[in-house]
Amino acid sequence: MSRDPVAPIPATDLDALCVDTLRFLAVDAVQKANSGHPGMPLGAAPMAYVLWTRFLNHHPGSPHWPDRDRFVLSAGHGSMLLYALLHLTGYDLPLEELQRFRQWGSRTPGHPERGLTPGVETTTGPLGQGFANGVGMAIAEAHLAARYNQPGLAVIDHHTYGIVSDGDLMEGVAAESASLAGHLGLGKLIYLYDDNRVTLSAATDITFTEDRAARFAAYGWHTETVADGNDLAAIAQALTAAREETRRPSLILVRTHLGYGSPHKQDSFEAHGSPLGVDEVRLTKDHLGWPTEPPFDIPGAARAHFREAMTRGAQAEAEWNARFATYAGKFPDLARELRQILSGEPAAGWDADLPRFAADAKGMATRVASGKVMNAIAPRLPALVGGSADLDPSTHTVLKELGAFEPPRLERADTQGSEGGGWTYAGRNLHFGVREHAMGAILNGIAAHGGAIPYGATFMVFSDYMRPPMRLAALMGLHVIYVFTHDSVALGEDGATHQPVEQLAGLRSVPGLVVLRPADANETACAWRVAVATRDRPVALVLTRQDVPTLDRARFAAAEGLARGAYVLLDPPGGDPEMILIASGSEVGLIVAAGERLTAQGHRIRLVSFPSWELFDAQPREYRDAVLPPALHTRLAVEAGVSQGWHRYVGERGDVLALDRFGASAPGGVVMRELGFTVENVCARALALRGVSPEVAGG
């Protein structure tokens, strides 16, 4: 039966009605799906209600309005709380979608997914990732505000809010990102901590007894504590205090009860990841004074109150549009640039200064070439922002004279690490510290916020520390660029711990991640062109520590062939090759040298540079067959990594010279020689495919 009131009801009663509406939309959806997490929405609904109705500046009718507040549900298992909020406030998420929670084809998956559900800012679920994404969003807001706001005309001025859980705070990625956020003084970052003290399998005191408020205070955060998670006034007061604290991020510790109101499951892990059950749902509704029928009940007064967000949001966006029009009139160049970077599309001519490198037998490391390319394109690509996990001198990823993203108030007597351009939020170089996991997740937040093309750099072997956020970047289709240097055992003396072997195969296994391993300086320049132009997915550039020859493009095919993933670098005179040598990255120089020797012995050799499996696989069949003719079975692939995956390109009668073992500590050239990456061994393996011994060939 309907409980729509016939007359206005007191505000306190209306608040209670709205909170319970959130609670039981979530409970009913979980029960109908017979799958999900009802406990978190039951306990956290009051804090979510206060935030979304009194503080969050958003427009449900315009989910992508640039100056909206961002909201991150890092505790993504409580997704039905977010879906209830989105439906009730007026986003394009019909009630039918809530009733199809966790079903095939619905817009209400088990954990929130960006791009699938209107109003979901980032994909969360793996705990700690959303926490770090929010740090990235706050960085993006502070950076854009510092670069584009003018006195009296703030066109970028919003907050990043989130609800985080015990599990989020336990994960290491949250610790890394919280430490950095505190250092950076991100005052517009405010998290509500759902302190319910229960995890999926136990009470938190079995593993998690630290003083969380003291811990975050030590990170440099402002903290507030709310003793009763149902005290709406106390929650509002804490949020107000957090908004007034502009020099530190805020964590509000709200003591809640998992499964609040459930007579038999409140404060029990049984309410965490399983439906309450039909009988317990009925008992919980009775206990909290909610009608047991019908399910998915939305009182008219509650709906009307939540839908006020539409009016408030439309007004806020209209005011911003007017403010931006005034801004554009006074600062047309800045407005034009800001519009451009918010669109995500690089301006025409951004690559006009992309360098071309002269042929050079000694050449240069592709990491060095990459640094030259980055600094050539950065002035025309204002969206390019990023940094490394404390490895700038090694990854060559500094944008020179473009400043460091640092709190402007900090006095710096020690200027080590300075790129030139000052220490302010307007700086385009981000210092992540030794925090690869946080770096990956923060990059996702920056990209999801919009207004930047973020990049992050580290050694290739440490890409393992970034796998969770890289996977999520691919799942979300975020435009993030990874710069991975020291890409093989050829890095040398640091030894097996630092020499990547299986990482290339691991990266290639991620759906939607484009992996580019350029062969020389000119392929590196082309790789950057592809990376910037690829808007709908992340891209990994895999670069060498050691020098590699810069190929003579008057003799070899143009490096622009990289954009197709693989291309014929050189064919024998008149064509009609008898065998194909294939390689990526630094090993292309090796097959070039081997090809010259085999040619001198009278063999007809095709050389193929193969920088990207993903781009090659996306080419039409005709092109792929032209590069790797199906009738030509004599193929040898050479790569200083595991062989996994290469057999699909060489076929059953081909061979792979790879590295299915770990490396060793020695000079890079010695390691490569001892592990078989020599001209002699390439020639021997190639000739063996022809049934010819090296001795006969040499005779």
Side-chain angles (χ1 to χ4, degrees):
M1 57 179 289
S2 174
R3 299 190 307 118
D4 290 4
V6 296
I9 59 179
T12 53
D13 292 342
L14 179 59
D15 288 338
L17 186 70
C18 290
V19 169
D20 284 344
T21 301
L22 286 174
R23 284 175 167 147
F24 289 110
L25 278 177
V27 166
D28 286 340
V30 170
Q31 192 59 46
K32 186 174 190 296
N34 197 29
S35 175
H37 301 71
M40 185 267 191
L42 280 169
M47 71 173 83
Y49 167 72
V50 172
L51 174 62
W52 276 65
T53 60
R54 303 186 194 176
F55 292 89
L56 192 70
N57 193 23
H58 65 122
H59 183 194
S62 181
H64 304 294
W65 166 42
D67 203 38
R68 68 193 181 279
D69 288 339
R70 270 52 170 189
F71 174 77
V72 176
L73 182 69
S74 191
H77 54 272
S79 58
M80 261 313 307
L81 176 60
L82 177 55
Y83 300 148
L85 287 162
L86 292 171
H87 169 71
L88 288 169
T89 55
Y91 285 83
D92 181 19
L93 191 66
L95 183 62
E96 291 76 15
E97 292 293 340
L98 277 62
Q99 294 167 337
R100 297 176 61 226
F101 179 52
R102 291 187 165 220
Q103 304 307 302
W104 181 267
S106 77
R107 288 191 282 166
T108 49
H111 292 80
E113 295 184 24
R114 173 184 168 87
L116 178 64
T117 312
V120 171
E121 300 283 2
T122 184
T123 298
T124 57
L127 291 173
Q129 294 295 321
F131 187 113
N133 292 169
V135 174
M137 293 175 185
I139 287 173
E141 192 277 343
H143 176 68
L144 293 174
R147 285 178 62 182
Y148 294 103
N149 287 351
Q150 297 298 313
L153 278 174
V155 290
I156 302 294
D157 184 13
H158 53 266
H159 287 75
T160 299
Y161 296 99
I163 294 179
V164 303
S165 65
D166 292 304
D168 288 301
L169 268 57
M170 290 187 207
E171 289 286 359
V173 65
E176 291 181 25
S177 55
S179 174
L180 183 59
H183 162 75
L184 293 173
L186 300 174
K188 290 184 177 178
L189 177 64
I190 300 172
Y191 284 158
L192 290 156
Y193 166 32
D194 178 25
D195 185 13
N196 62 48
R197 305 183 190 179
V198 181
T199 62
L200 185 142
S201 65
T204 57
D205 59 10
I206 198 172
T207 58
F208 192 46
T209 54
E210 68 206 36
D211 184 334
R212 271 83 89 183
R215 171 184 159 199
F216 273 78
Y219 286 146
W221 287 55
H222 161 240
T223 66
E224 294 277 337
T225 300
V226 176
D228 179 1
N230 290 308
D231 187 339
L232 305 187
I235 294 168
Q237 184 177 358
L239 282 165
T240 298
R243 285 176 58 89
E244 291 172 351
E245 172 53 68
T246 60
R247 295 163 69 93
R248 292 179 294 170
S250 294
L251 182 73
I252 301 171
L253 299 91
V254 185
R255 178 66 174 107
T256 61
H257 294 275
L258 189 79
Y260 177 78
S262 172
H264 300 113
K265 296 187 177 182
Q266 178 174 312
D267 294 324
S268 165
F269 69 84
E270 294 181 28
H272 178 91
S274 301
L276 294 179
V278 173
D279 291 340
E280 192 68 14
V281 168
R282 177 178 53 77
L283 291 172
T284 304
K285 289 181 176 181
D286 283 342
H287 184 71
L288 293 180
W290 194 260
T292 56
E293 294 294 339
F296 299 96
D297 184 24
I298 303 176
R303 181 186 297 277
H305 185 55
F306 277 111
R307 288 293 164 93
E308 290 172 7
M310 294 286 286
T311 303
R312 289 194 304 269
Q315 180 179 347
E317 184 175 5
E319 291 172 355
W320 181 82
N321 287 334
R323 188 161 64 252
F324 194 90
T326 301
Y327 177 86
K330 293 184 176 181
F331 308 101
D333 293 340
L334 286 176
R336 188 179 308 112
E337 182 175 289
L338 180 56
R339 284 196 194 97
Q340 185 75 53
I341 66 172
L342 288 173
S343 76
E345 188 75 44
W350 69 267
D351 57 350
D353 299 321
L354 202 69
R356 290 188 176 273
F357 298 90
D360 183 353
K362 178 180 181 298
M364 69 178 71
T366 52
R367 63 170 176 157
V368 174
S370 172
K372 294 179 182 295
V373 172
M374 292 175 69
N375 279 279
I377 64 177
R380 292 179 181 265
L381 193 64
L384 189 65
V385 175
S388 78
D390 195 49
L391 289 168
D392 289 344
S394 297
T395 58
H396 291 259
T397 45
V398 167
L399 301 180
K400 297 175 183 177
E401 302 300 323
L402 293 181
F405 182 90
E406 289 286 319
R409 66 181 180 277
L410 293 183
E411 297 290 335
R412 297 204 175 272
D414 187 342
T415 58
Q416 292 183 80
S418 173
E419 302 83 5
W423 306 77
T424 71
Y425 285 150
R428 290 169 60 184
N429 291 282
L430 304 179
H431 293 276
F432 292 100
V434 188
R435 302 183 180 100
E436 286 89 355
H437 197 169
M439 175 173 70
I442 287 169
L443 293 173
N444 287 352
I446 294 171
H449 178 280
I453 301 173
Y455 68 87
T458 188
F459 292 172
M460 177 68 166
V461 75
F462 301 135
S463 66
D464 284 346
Y465 286 159
M466 300 173 59
R467 284 298 297 273
M470 292 172 68
R471 180 179 188 273
L472 288 169
L475 182 61
M476 288 187 267
L478 293 177
H479 192 188
V480 178
I481 299 173
Y482 309 106
V483 181
F484 296 133
T485 67
H486 298 59
D487 71 342
S488 74
V489 295
L491 70 86
E493 292 87 344
D494 278 340
T497 62
H498 281 52
Q499 293 168 355
V501 174
E502 74 279 17
Q503 280 70 25
L504 261 174
L507 293 177
R508 288 168 175 158
S509 74
V510 180
L513 174 63
V514 175
V515 182
L516 297 169
R517 190 172 184 239
D520 69 352
N522 284 306
E523 275 198 14
T524 303
C526 293
W528 267 103
R529 177 183 280 123
V530 169
V532 171
T534 303
R535 292 183 53 192
D536 60 347
R537 68 199 71 179
V539 178
L541 306 182
V542 181
L543 309 173
T544 68
R545 174 184 185 269
Q546 76 277 18
D547 290 341
V548 293
T550 303
L551 300 177
D552 181 358
R553 296 295 169 166
R555 177 188 174 201
F556 297 97
E560 283 73 13
L562 171 138
R564 305 194 76 170
Y567 63 104
V568 177
L569 193 64
L570 185 69
D571 252 346
D576 192 26
E578 65 185 64
M579 69 175 78
I580 306 175
L581 300 183
I582 307 165
S584 76
S586 53
E587 288 74 69
V588 170
L590 181 58
I591 66 167
V592 166
E596 291 173 346
R597 181 172 298 187
L598 291 169
T599 298
Q601 295 172 2
H603 298 282
R604 301 177 65 78
I605 308 299
R606 167 174 285 188
L607 302 177
V608 171
S609 178
F610 210 133
S612 176
W613 293 6
E614 299 78 23
L615 296 181
F616 183 69
D617 290 347
Q619 301 305 311
R621 168 65 68 180
E622 294 76 13
Y623 177 79
R624 286 179 282 144
D625 288 348
V627 175
L628 301 175
L632 184 51
H633 302 291
T634 309
R635 306 176 186 179
L636 174 67
V638 182
E639 186 172 77
V642 296
S643 59
Q644 181 178 330
W646 272 112
H647 296 88
R648 64 197 277 205
Y649 299 111
V650 300
E652 293 182 358
R653 286 184 269 177
D655 190 15
V656 182
L657 172 55
L659 193 62
D660 292 312
R661 54 153 288 177
F662 294 116
S665 180
V670 173
V671 175
M672 291 289 278
R673 183 190 71 219
E674 293 297 321
L675 294 176
F677 290 90
T678 64
V679 171
E680 292 76 15
N681 195 33
V682 172
C683 291
R685 296 282 284 265
L687 291 172
L689 291 171
R690 299 282 297 169
V692 179
S693 71
E695 293 78 11
V696 172

